[in-house]
Amino acid sequence: MASSRTEFVLVAGLAMLCSCLAIKVEYDANALIIDGQRKVIISGSIHYPRSTPEMWPDLIQKAKDGGLDAIETYIFWNVHEPRRREYDFSGNLDFVKFFKLVQDAGLYAILRIGPYVCAEWNYGGFPMWLHNTPGIQLRTDNDIFKNEMQVFTTKIVNMCKEANLFASQGGPIILAQIENEYGNIMEKYGDAGKQYIKWCANMAVAQNISEPWIMCQQSDAPEPMINTCNGFYCDQFKPNNPKSPKMWTENWTGWFKLWGGRDPQRTAEDLAFSVARFFQNGGVLNNYYMYHGGTNFGRTAGGPYIATSYDYNAPLDEYGNLNQPKWGHLKQLHASIKQAEKFLTNGTVETKSVMNFVDLTKFTLNATGERFCMLSNSDNTGDYTADLGEDGKFFVPAWSVTFLQNCSKEVYNTAKINTQTSVMVTKHSEEDAYGNEVKPAKLSWMWAPEPIQDTLKGNGRFEAAQLLDQKEASGDVSDYLCVDTRNISLKNMTLRVSTNGHGLHAYVNGKLIGSQFSRQAKGQQMVTGDDYSFGFDKAVSLKKGLNVISLLSVTVGLANYGAFYDLKPTGLINGGVLLNGKGNNSINATTYQWSYKVGLNGEAQQFHDPNSRNANWNSTKVPKNRPMTWYKTSFKTPSGEEPVVLGLLGMGKGHAWMNGKSIGRYWPTQIAETTGCDAHCNYKGSYNDGKCRTNCGNPSQRWYHVPRSFLNNNTDNTLILFEEVGGAPWNVTLQVVTVGTVCANAYEGNNLELYCQGDRRISEIQFASFGDPQGTCGSFSLGNYQATQSVAVVEKLCAGRPSCLIDVSQSTFGISSWGNVTSRLAVQAVCK
């Protein structure tokens, strides 16, 4: 294999910058070769801005405990350079600190600069000043754009060099990425797109780092770029260079959530199946996107209509809890992959069909004759028993892969889950001596009106005789852009506004006459595709003389994906404003002189800052269902260390701040579709983002993450809400997220660990049966046979403990012999 190896040697002079040991990163078609060791890499995406620096060590350690070798993250241009040549790398934007913590944990890192990132991030990660630069065209052969992209890329690379973050400097970064999924849309850009991608490759190489560069979803990636795969399945992917390793940069662990959308779920069995098939078919690197999704704080959510939660159904949930059984099932998968690593990277490979849908792949070490096998069943309905001759017969469930040590002993199957399922609950943090919740006193509220009257009188900051694109007019510093015109003198008209979304509040002479959003305009069906346009129609009564028409246009995250996505119209642009009366009494006000004001006065005056004295807070007659209203309250920090969430049922739509730090947008009145959810998801068969949905008919997002680092330990906390459409704050609550119930259905021959969270203990064994129990978590029942002492044994091992380990075997449950059967242990327990 040595002749086909590609080596990345130390750049001259870099060795002098670091006293650490330099690590050489090489590769061939079968392995990444790191410091001379042939490896397959298991990685996971954790985006540093979607959590907090205080969360990073715990997230990274849980990733390591879950069997990961590396952590991947994008670099988000718009938050690092919000204004041209003004940079911010503080707080949760300190990616250098993040990578150093990754290294401290003994993990590698993958640097995905982009700098276009998609990531369901606002505007795909591009700063708005870039869009508004004269003469620029994004992501194509445009000199202005390429210059800006090169300046930022060089800035990031140099910061990494200065911090000795590259492997060749003794740092953790083993791979770097330029551009992102351009191959998916490159055809629309023609020859200019082809020239652009060649320039990207040359610019990346010119950065003079020693580590390999990758391009995902780029089938014509120029050498020495390595093209990689993104998707739910990549086992059939082949890199365009036969010398390149087969790498999967985004294995989608779930999907993102939309306002008004159902919750996406991807089963642990299917995710494990996809990974196992990938490595069975020559895979070298698998990266989970996401391993921890996190939270879209502030206005970082893209879309449009991407929710504040970016949980992604990842192995670590939005708050950093283990998402079980996914985390534990993958951990066991990773251990099996590492057990097979020397065979995957050094072995002679032979694959043969055992029967329809069932393939056996044998990896043999020529020097010793040692073997390792993977036996896969790609049928999405049929279970099969494969006869491997002298190595034995093996039952392979549908849509699964079995790992066979020495090709004769099953050590793992992707469809057999032997880890607990954690049923998470939200509850008040205080409990009595019996573990029962103690509800705190209701929050006491103050309020202040949004001082919008000057805006509604047409007192804007600039004027134009046309309707402008909201991105360009606002610079995307706010969700809100108010446009006014006052040259209207007709009576009894119908106001008709055509807009490209995402929401609209219409005022006549300072009074709100109606509001509308894209989803509502589509007949309560979730908007699909890229069309967020809608029409607003409302009969209005105008007074004699001049009238002021005010249109408050609202965005809910900017587009982040697609060819020319940056040019998609936003707001009132390409729409129209008509006033239709009887007969010919109609006015087209589209080209009237319009006065523009960006943002709200409360935003400019920082009402969200608890130290601001600009708001006139009032504690009497706190209103409900009043649009454009600010609310304020204070509370003590919930006790303990469990994640804190803010429940906002009763509120309409708006933005929340805790002690001046943005939690993000809220919108609990956006209700998920009432149909299309799966009560019992079948893991078998190809996954897509519409499969296994949950949460039908409920608010698409009820709970909002409040990182504990946002809270004060010794003084009261201040919660401030801006309510846009009208709500009632009296049911707002602060709770914690914890494990309420644990369940398992583990196979004989495995060790089953049950655990609670924080200081909670296993207080009750609700069900236990070793035999052939039936049902699932929440509905277990006895089967045809069981060990009569099942409950007693589990109670003895687990009751009153924060965790316990059960050897799932006949001897544990006092059975001398049941013959040639494989039994299971089903358990359901309560944590208090």
Side-chain angles (χ1 to χ4, degrees):
M1 303 298 294
S3 61
S4 62
R5 174 185 297 183
T6 300
E7 298 187 2
F8 287 77
V9 296
L10 194 65
V11 176
L14 283 182
M16 300 175 61
L17 297 176
C18 181
S19 59
C20 306
L21 294 176
I23 298 174
K24 183 184 292 186
V25 181
E26 312 164 74
Y27 64 80
D28 58 32
N30 300 308
L32 279 176
I33 307 164
I34 303 176
D35 210 22
Q37 298 182 9
R38 300 179 62 80
K39 294 180 177 290
V40 293
I41 298 294
I42 303 165
S43 176
S45 296
I46 299 176
H47 292 163
Y48 56 94
R50 283 177 159 141
S51 55
T52 67
E54 293 76 12
M55 295 174 64
W56 293 344
D58 181 62
L59 296 174
I60 293 167
Q61 186 60 48
K62 286 175 178 174
K64 181 178 181 179
D65 293 343
L68 265 59
D69 304 302
I71 301 296
E72 174 275 335
T73 186
Y74 283 122
I75 302 296
F76 298 83
W77 190 355
N78 61 339
V79 293
H80 289 305
E81 193 179 0
R83 289 166 296 279
R84 189 171 186 266
R85 304 300 182 264
E86 296 181 22
Y87 298 101
D88 185 359
F89 298 99
S90 62
N92 71 336
L93 304 183
D94 189 350
F95 75 89
V96 171
K97 177 179 179 180
F98 179 79
F99 279 135
K100 287 185 175 180
L101 289 171
V102 169
Q103 183 175 24
D104 289 344
L107 298 176
Y108 300 120
I110 300 172
L111 171 68
R112 300 179 75 184
I113 298 176
Y116 164 75
V117 299
C118 183
E120 292 71 60
W121 191 263
N122 192 48
Y123 209 48
F126 282 150
M128 193 49 60
W129 62 260
L130 193 70
H131 170 85
N132 291 336
T133 301
I136 202 167
Q137 292 176 295
L138 306 187
R139 301 184 77 194
T140 189
D141 191 21
N142 174 271
D143 289 340
I144 301 173
F145 171 69
K146 290 190 297 183
N147 177 68
E148 295 294 348
M149 176 176 169
Q150 183 169 357
V151 168
F152 181 75
T153 300
T154 303
K155 171 79 174 177
I156 299 304
V157 170
N158 285 344
M159 288 181 68
C160 292
K161 289 179 180 179
E162 291 165 5
N164 299 315
L165 291 180
F166 288 107
S168 55
Q169 301 172 285
I173 297 174
I174 57 172
L175 296 170
Q177 178 180 310
I178 197 69
E179 247 298 338
N180 187 46
E181 297 186 327
Y182 193 71
N184 293 349
I185 49 93
M186 186 175 74
E187 183 179 358
K188 299 290 181 65
Y189 292 85
D191 289 338
K194 296 178 182 179
Q195 294 304 313
Y196 165 65
I197 212 66
K198 292 178 182 178
W199 172 86
C200 287
N202 292 332
M203 186 269 287
V205 171
Q207 296 297 319
N208 205 27
I209 67 172
S210 299
E211 290 65 32
W213 284 94
I214 61 177
M215 282 183 169
C216 65
Q217 295 294 95
Q218 195 65 47
S219 60
D220 62 347
E223 292 188 29
M225 303 291 109
I226 305 172
N227 69 310
T228 66
C229 182
N230 292 354
F232 291 117
Y233 306 94
C234 282
D235 50 288
Q236 298 304 308
F237 165 76
K238 293 181 180 180
N240 63 338
N241 184 342
K243 297 180 181 180
S244 294
K246 179 174 176 175
M247 296 196 287
W248 192 355
T249 36
E250 291 188 15
N251 182 350
W252 300 329
T253 57
W255 204 242
F256 54 86
K257 181 189 294 190
L258 292 168
W259 295 118
R262 301 156 295 168
D263 285 356
Q265 308 284 329
R266 188 182 185 189
T267 65
E269 297 98 323
D270 177 67
L271 183 57
F273 173 76
S274 73
V275 176
R277 285 279 290 176
F278 178 70
F279 283 108
Q280 182 184 12
N281 285 277
V284 171
L285 179 146
N286 169 80
N287 179 73
Y288 296 106
Y289 187 98
M290 302 290 297
Y291 197 79
H292 169 258
T295 306
N296 290 317
F297 298 114
R299 301 176 55 253
T300 57
Y305 273 61
I306 302 293
T308 297
S309 170
Y310 198 66
D311 181 88
Y312 219 86
N313 194 222
L316 299 179
D317 72 14
E318 177 181 2
Y319 320 114
N321 299 314
L322 303 185
N323 178 12
Q324 295 282 42
K326 186 172 285 187
W327 183 88
H329 192 49
L330 294 178
K331 176 181 179 178
Q332 294 171 354
L333 168 66
H334 303 155
S336 298
I337 291 171
K338 288 303 176 180
Q339 185 178 355
E341 184 174 45
K342 66 179 181 180
F343 299 93
L344 298 175
T345 58
N346 294 284
T348 300
V349 184
E350 177 189 0
T351 298
K352 67 178 182 178
S353 176
V354 178
M355 59 180 68
N356 285 342
F357 302 108
V358 179
D359 293 327
L360 176 70
T361 301
K362 183 185 298 184
F363 302 87
T364 305
L365 298 181
N366 294 330
T368 63
E370 295 176 87
R371 304 176 303 159
F372 197 97
C373 286
M374 292 188 186
L375 184 64
S376 64
N377 177 4
S378 59
D379 193 352
N380 58 16
T381 57
D383 303 331
Y384 299 105
T385 297
D387 188 346
L388 303 186
E390 294 181 356
D391 288 323
K393 296 181 179 180
F394 297 92
F395 175 75
V396 192
W399 205 252
S400 76
V401 178
T402 296
F403 288 67
L404 297 171
Q405 182 180 352
N406 198 33
C407 297
S408 60
K409 179 183 178 182
E410 179 177 324
V411 293
Y412 181 84
N413 177 273
T414 60
K416 299 177 181 178
I417 294 182
N418 295 294
T419 190
Q420 79 173 35
T421 295
S422 298
V423 181
M424 309 303 292
V425 296
T426 55
K427 60 193 306 181
H428 297 289
S429 63
E430 302 302 325
E431 297 180 348
D432 61 21
Y434 302 98
N436 299 311
E437 286 184 80
V438 177
K439 292 186 178 181
K442 289 274 189 177
L443 297 172
S444 179
W445 290 91
M446 304 176 72
W447 73 286
E450 165 60 31
I452 198 173
Q453 290 307 312
D454 67 322
T455 305
L456 301 181
K457 292 178 182 178
N459 298 329
R461 302 291 173 83
F462 62 93
E463 294 186 350
Q466 59 180 319
L467 296 172
L468 302 175
D469 187 282
Q470 190 157 339
K471 298 188 299 295
E472 297 168 5
S474 71
D476 193 40
V477 298
S478 171
D479 284 353
Y480 305 102
L481 177 67
C482 192
V483 298
D484 308 85
T485 190
R486 60 177 67 191
N487 296 326
I488 309 294
S489 59
L490 298 177
K491 297 180 65 176
N492 301 324
M493 310 289 286
T494 297
L495 175 64
R496 292 185 174 175
V497 181
S498 298
T499 176
N500 283 287
H502 313 126
L504 180 73
H505 305 293
Y507 296 80
V508 174
N509 296 324
K511 293 184 179 181
L512 179 66
I513 64 166
S515 300
Q516 193 166 308
F517 290 89
S518 297
R519 180 178 185 269
Q520 295 163 325
K522 302 297 183 182
Q524 294 299 325
Q525 297 298 312
M526 265 309 300
V527 174
T528 57
D530 298 326
D531 182 13
Y532 283 81
S533 64
F534 63 91
F536 173 89
D537 287 73
K538 189 75 172 181
V540 297
S541 179
L542 304 179
K543 65 184 181 180
K544 291 183 179 181
L546 295 181
N547 294 269
V548 179
I549 305 294
S550 303
L551 304 175
L552 183 60
S553 181
V554 184
T555 55
V556 190
L558 299 180
N560 56 262
Y561 181 76
F564 304 104
Y565 80 88
D566 52 299
L567 301 179
K568 292 175 183 175
T570 305
L572 297 169
I573 181 75
N574 293 347
V577 179
L578 302 176
L579 281 146
N580 293 332
K582 294 182 180 180
N584 295 322
N585 290 331
S586 298
I587 297 175
N588 185 346
T590 306
T591 56
Y592 272 31
Q593 194 73 10
W594 292 90
S595 174
Y596 287 78
K597 183 172 182 179
V598 177
L600 303 174
N601 287 324
E603 290 179 300
Q605 297 174 30
Q606 298 187 322
F607 282 15
H608 67 273
D609 184 350
N611 298 317
S612 172
R613 297 183 179 181
N614 294 323
N616 184 21
W617 296 108
N618 190 341
S619 59
T620 61
K621 297 182 179 179
V622 178
K624 68 175 182 178
N625 299 327
R626 185 185 188 278
M628 301 294 161
T629 302
W630 295 80
Y631 293 98
K632 177 181 179 180
T633 191
S634 62
F635 63 93
K636 300 290 185 183
T637 298
S639 61
E641 297 181 355
E642 292 162 321
V644 177
V645 290
L646 177 66
L648 289 173
L649 284 187
M651 301 304 294
K653 174 186 182 291
H655 205 115
W657 293 265
M658 185 66 69
N659 296 323
K661 297 178 180 179
S662 172
I663 297 169
R665 299 183 183 98
Y666 67 82
W667 205 350
T669 52
Q670 278 285 311
I671 306 300
E673 301 99 319
T674 57
T675 60
C677 286
D678 297 330
H680 300 289
C681 175
N682 183 357
Y683 76 87
K684 302 172 185 177
S686 295
Y687 179 78
N688 61 71
D689 61 274
K691 184 179 179 181
C692 298
R693 292 278 182 157
T694 63
N695 198 44
C696 282
N698 296 314
S700 51
Q701 185 171 351
R702 175 181 177 180
W703 302 100
Y704 299 81
H705 184 207
V706 183
R708 282 195 173 265
S709 60
F710 285 16
L711 300 172
N712 300 321
N713 292 325
N714 301 317
T715 59
D716 283 355
N717 301 281
T718 300
L719 169 65
I720 295 177
L721 307 174
F722 170 66
E723 175 54 53
E724 178 185 324
V725 300
W730 295 287
N731 290 325
V732 170
T733 181
L734 272 295
Q735 298 193 24
V736 296
V737 180
T738 190
V739 177
T741 303
V742 295
C743 301
N745 198 346
Y747 286 81
E748 184 178 354
N750 291 277
N751 288 321
L752 172 63
E753 181 183 12
L754 300 178
Y755 67 90
C756 295
Q757 183 170 289
D759 59 358
R760 301 180 190 276
R761 294 173 178 268
I762 299 171
S763 62
E764 178 187 359
I765 305 300
Q766 294 180 319
F767 182 89
S769 174
F770 177 69
D772 66 335
Q774 305 299 304
T776 58
C777 186
S779 60
F780 284 130
S781 61
L782 300 178
N784 295 317
Y785 68 95
Q786 68 157 339
T788 57
Q789 298 300 310
S790 296
V791 175
V793 170
V794 174
E795 285 182 337
K796 181 178 180 180
L797 291 171
C798 301
R801 302 173 184 269
S803 64
C804 61
L805 189 66
I806 305 171
D807 174 17
V808 184
S809 65
Q810 294 185 23
S811 60
T812 297
F813 292 90
I815 305 299
S816 57
S817 176
W818 271 343
N820 189 26
V821 297
T822 299
S823 301
R824 290 175 288 107
L825 170 64
V827 178
Q828 183 168 311
V830 176
C831 294
K832 279 193 176 181

